[in-house]
Amino acid sequence: MKHNFNQLRLSSVCRSFTNAEGQQVAALKGLDLTIQRGEFIALLGPSGCGKSTALNCIAGLTPLTGGGIWLDDTRIDVLAPERRGFGMVFQNYALFPHMTVLENVGFGLKMRGLPKSEIVQRARAALTLVQLVGHENKLPGQLSGGQQQRVAIARAIVIEPPVILMDEPLSNLDTKLRIEMRAEIRRIHSQLDRATIYVTHDQDEALSMADRIVVMREGVVQQVASPKEVYGRPNNLHVARFMGYRNVAQFQVGTVQGGRAELSANGIALTGTTVGALDSAAAQVAMRPEDFEACAPGTVNGFSVDIETVEYGGRDSLIRVKSAFGQLYARLPGEFDVGQRVCLRIAPERALVYAQEAA
């Protein structure tokens, strides 16, 4: 498979399976996506949304039941996994415990029948890229989790693949290592000039690493956009909830003009920003806990609440409050007490107004 490619294209990719009751169940429904060379794409969503199925279909580990996959003009979904030439990094590292680091990294090259001298040279170059020089002769069991993950990445990139596939590679690491490895993976990606497709359920990983995020739900793509757009303007309420808009409240819609909606609920008036068309007098408003701020009573877009619970977090506190339009969560700097009455404000551009969900 050629490495100097321009794009990977998925067209109406479907994958279904038969469940225990003999019924056909769709794990992936008509996925359309074009990935350019050099792009970092994150497939994001909760467990069971189809993201790993999509990755396995691209890798050839799971056959398609509809659609096709092309690398430029070459259709690859009809090829065996080894003929696609993709590099893959698994969640559990999948290293050979009896092989040294250098042998693990060079294994793919050995299977391709390359001369030993070239295998060693390229394996050492890959270890240099992942900053593991000096660990060549160690066994995987002598390495930390982060180092083992670097070995797995080196093994994936040493074959010089057109596309690198990563299936939740950081989920087994602690928080500090995950943050460090995010930067390392992004650095390695930027040096390789290859496409990377990265599966994760972690919003922070996707936001910090990807050029574009593909948000999925029940096998269907909900939104494909830049991290900034997915974070700040989710396509629908499902994406909004998944991206941290923990508060969803129902309001009545008054006037709508220039993308702003005047809203009311039990005597509380708010101005919000519409996302899509509003087809009824009722709408649902999504608000992030961290987008609230304390304010003085009577402030525009402000309302009074009573604190029900407090979770102290050091710099700030997560408070659950009772408002005139339901229970809300807000994250504010400082310390608070249960039973305390405070006034909260949210900027109109941070209160996103969606059409009422069907019952």
Side-chain angles (χ1 to χ4, degrees), residues 60-76:
L61 303 177
T62 299
L64 307 188
T65 52
I69 304 174
W70 283 261
L71 194 61
D72 288 340
D73 297 326
T74 303
R75 184 168 181 175
I76 64 169

Side-chain angles (χ1 to χ4, degrees), residues 47 51 93 95 102 114 165 181 183 192 245 252 261 294 352 359:
S47 297
K51 57 188 186 296
Y93 318 141
L95 302 177
L102 192 67
L114 272 65
L165 309 174
M181 284 302 299
L192 290 176
Y245 286 82
Q252 294 299 116
L352 303 185

Side-chain angles (χ1 to χ4, degrees), residues 31-239:
L31 173 58
D32 289 295
L33 182 65
T34 298
I35 301 167
Q36 304 295 333
R37 178 174 177 167
E39 265 198 302
F40 195 116
I41 300 293
L43 302 182
L44 175 67
S47 297
C49 73
K51 57 188 186 296
S52 289
T53 299
L55 196 77
N56 288 333
C57 287
I58 296 169
L61 303 177
T62 299
L64 307 188
T65 52
I69 304 174
W70 283 261
L71 194 61
D72 288 340
D73 297 326
T74 303
R75 184 168 181 175
I76 64 169
D77 59 282
V78 295
L79 301 178
E82 63 273 14
R83 293 192 58 201
R84 303 185 191 193
F86 295 165
M88 190 149 186
V89 181
F90 297 94
Q91 179 178 339
N92 62 355
Y93 318 141
L95 302 177
F96 298 111
H98 63 288
M99 292 184 182
T100 66
V101 166
L102 192 67
E103 290 169 339
N104 266 284
V105 174
F107 182 78
L109 300 175
K110 183 179 179 180
M111 291 298 98
R112 286 164 171 75
L114 272 65
K116 185 176 181 180
S117 59
E118 184 177 349
I119 293 173
V120 172
Q121 179 186 0
R122 288 173 60 173
R124 289 186 181 277
L127 288 171
T128 299
L129 187 61
V130 300
Q131 299 181 356
L132 278 180
V133 174
H135 298 275
E136 295 86 347
N137 296 319
K138 292 181 180 179
L139 296 173
Q142 297 173 294
L143 303 177
S144 68
Q147 289 172 328
Q148 290 184 54
Q149 193 56 277
R150 289 170 188 257
V151 175
I153 293 170
R155 185 179 59 186
I157 66 178
V158 74
I159 60 174
E160 299 181 354
V163 180
I164 299 168
L165 309 174
M166 297 190 175
D167 192 2
E168 305 222 29
L170 306 184
S171 60
N172 289 331
L173 305 180
D174 63 37
T175 302
K176 180 176 180 293
L177 268 178
R178 283 204 304 272
I179 293 172
E180 292 174 357
M181 284 302 299
R182 284 182 208 164
E184 281 302 292
I185 289 173
R186 185 68 209 194
R187 176 186 64 81
I188 293 165
H189 166 82
S190 66
Q191 293 186 32
L192 290 176
D193 190 30
R194 300 285 191 265
T196 298
I197 305 174
Y198 188 101
V199 164
T200 182
H201 63 274
D202 187 308
Q203 299 94 323
D204 290 339
E205 280 185 18
L207 290 170
S208 65
M209 299 169 70
D211 297 311
R212 285 190 296 157
I213 297 174
V214 181
V215 185
M216 301 183 67
R217 180 193 186 194
E218 296 178 353
V220 178
V221 171
Q222 303 294 305
Q223 186 168 4
V224 182
S226 68
K228 184 176 180 180
E229 187 174 351
V230 171
Y231 179 85
R233 197 173 177 82
N235 257 2
N236 55 47
L237 274 172
H238 165 73
V239 179

